[in-house]
Amino acid sequence: MINLILFGPPGSGKGTQAKTIVEKFDLTHISTGDLFRYEIGNKTPLGIKAKKYMDDGLLVPDEVTIGMLENKLDNSNNPNGYILDGFPRTIAQASALDAMLKERGTKVTHLIALDVDDNEIVKRIMERGKTSGRADDRNEEIVRQRIEQYNELTSPVYGHYDKFGISKKVDGIGEIDEIFNRIYDALTVPVCDSQECN
Ligand code: AMP
């Protein structure tokens, strides 16, 4: 079973790469950003709550996000495993995820971080904003706010899983296929498989 956290700043290519990894390993893709956009599209109370944070480039509060993720896990059952894209984004979310997976008799097996510098991210997201239909992709100030939230609140999640020997960095610059091959290598080369390794 693979339970992969596909990690990295906004615009680092997580969604693009997740599509290919899902096909290759027959995994279920869970993107909390997509789940929020679905709720917003349906004007649900959860979507209305999340929208004001997303529009400002801020993280949606942990209790809202964790509840939504748990609900999604309860409604999907893939023995091959999951790709989590955009979750966990805080240490509290990581701890909640660890507990949820433990309850289900499993755990996070890999964290792969796509490494892309800030200027490249801003360039990519502004380009994506021309067609993505996402308000948070069109305003440079909001994009920079999202990067700041990533650096401040999300990047420590790398260290949380590095303690278990399962975090790896992959160069996120290059052709899509090239980056996929790097991820594939990172996923298939054995890593420390025990949370007690260190
Ligand atoms: P994304 O599509 O992953 O770039 O997420 C878009 C926006 O959704 C983020 O800027 C956050 O406002 C919100 N969001 C997505 N995932 C999370 C999460 N795990 N925790 C908090 N907010 C999130």
Side-chain angles (χ1 to χ4, degrees):
M1 186 174 202
I2 293 176
N3 289 320
L4 164 67
I5 297 173
L6 196 54
F7 198 67
S12 56
K14 299 187 295 294
T16 305
Q17 292 297 333
K19 285 193 192 101
T20 322
I21 305 166
V22 157
E23 281 172 22
K24 192 86 185 170
F25 295 93
D26 200 7
L27 304 174
T28 295
H29 179 200
I30 300 180
S31 154
T32 40
D34 286 350
L35 292 175
F36 282 132
R37 284 184 285 276
Y38 177 81
E39 298 286 337
I40 291 170
N42 286 312
K43 297 192 169 58
T44 65
L46 194 154
I48 290 162
K49 195 171 204 175
K51 189 176 185 309
K52 56 180 194 290
Y53 295 95
M54 293 169 76
D55 284 350
D56 288 344
L58 300 172
L59 294 187
V60 179
D62 283 336
E63 64 276 14
V64 178
T65 310
I66 291 166
M68 179 179 72
L69 194 272
E70 182 152 37
N71 193 30
K72 180 72 187 173
L73 280 182
D74 283 342
N75 288 302
S76 39
N77 178 23
N78 184 344
N80 296 324
Y82 300 88
I83 296 188
L84 296 171
D85 160 6
F87 186 96
R89 261 175 153 107
T90 62
I91 292 288
Q93 291 180 18
S95 303
L97 174 67
D98 295 344
M100 279 185 245
L101 292 181
K102 195 171 179 192
E103 253 176 45
R104 291 161 176 79
T106 184
K107 64 185 177 186
V108 175
T109 58
H110 304 73
L111 180 149
I112 296 181
L114 295 172
D115 206 11
V116 180
D117 64 81
D118 289 1
N119 287 334
E120 172 69 17
I121 286 167
V122 174
K123 209 171 79 191
R124 282 189 193 179
I125 298 185
M126 297 300 288
E127 190 56 37
R128 182 172 77 183
K130 292 179 186 165
T131 53
S132 69
R134 286 177 53 173
D136 62 342
D137 281 352
R138 280 197 291 265
N139 175 328
E140 182 165 340
E141 205 183 313
I142 300 293
V143 172
R144 293 207 179 266
Q145 174 68 65
R146 288 161 64 196
I147 296 172
E148 214 174 290
Q149 294 265 287
Y150 176 83
N151 290 333
E152 197 180 315
L153 300 168
T154 306
S155 62
V157 171
Y158 184 92
H160 174 87
Y161 290 103
D162 203 29
K163 288 194 300 234
F164 306 132
I166 59 171
S167 290
K168 280 191 184 174
K169 283 198 176 98
V170 158
D171 182 0
I173 306 271
E175 296 297 321
I176 292 174
D177 289 355
E178 212 175 7
I179 299 167
F180 171 74
N181 288 335
R182 293 177 199 142
I183 296 174
Y184 184 85
D185 288 345
L187 266 176
T188 48
V189 170
V191 291
C192 177
D193 192 40
S194 156
Q195 305 227 337
E196 275 83 52
C197 294
N198 295 327

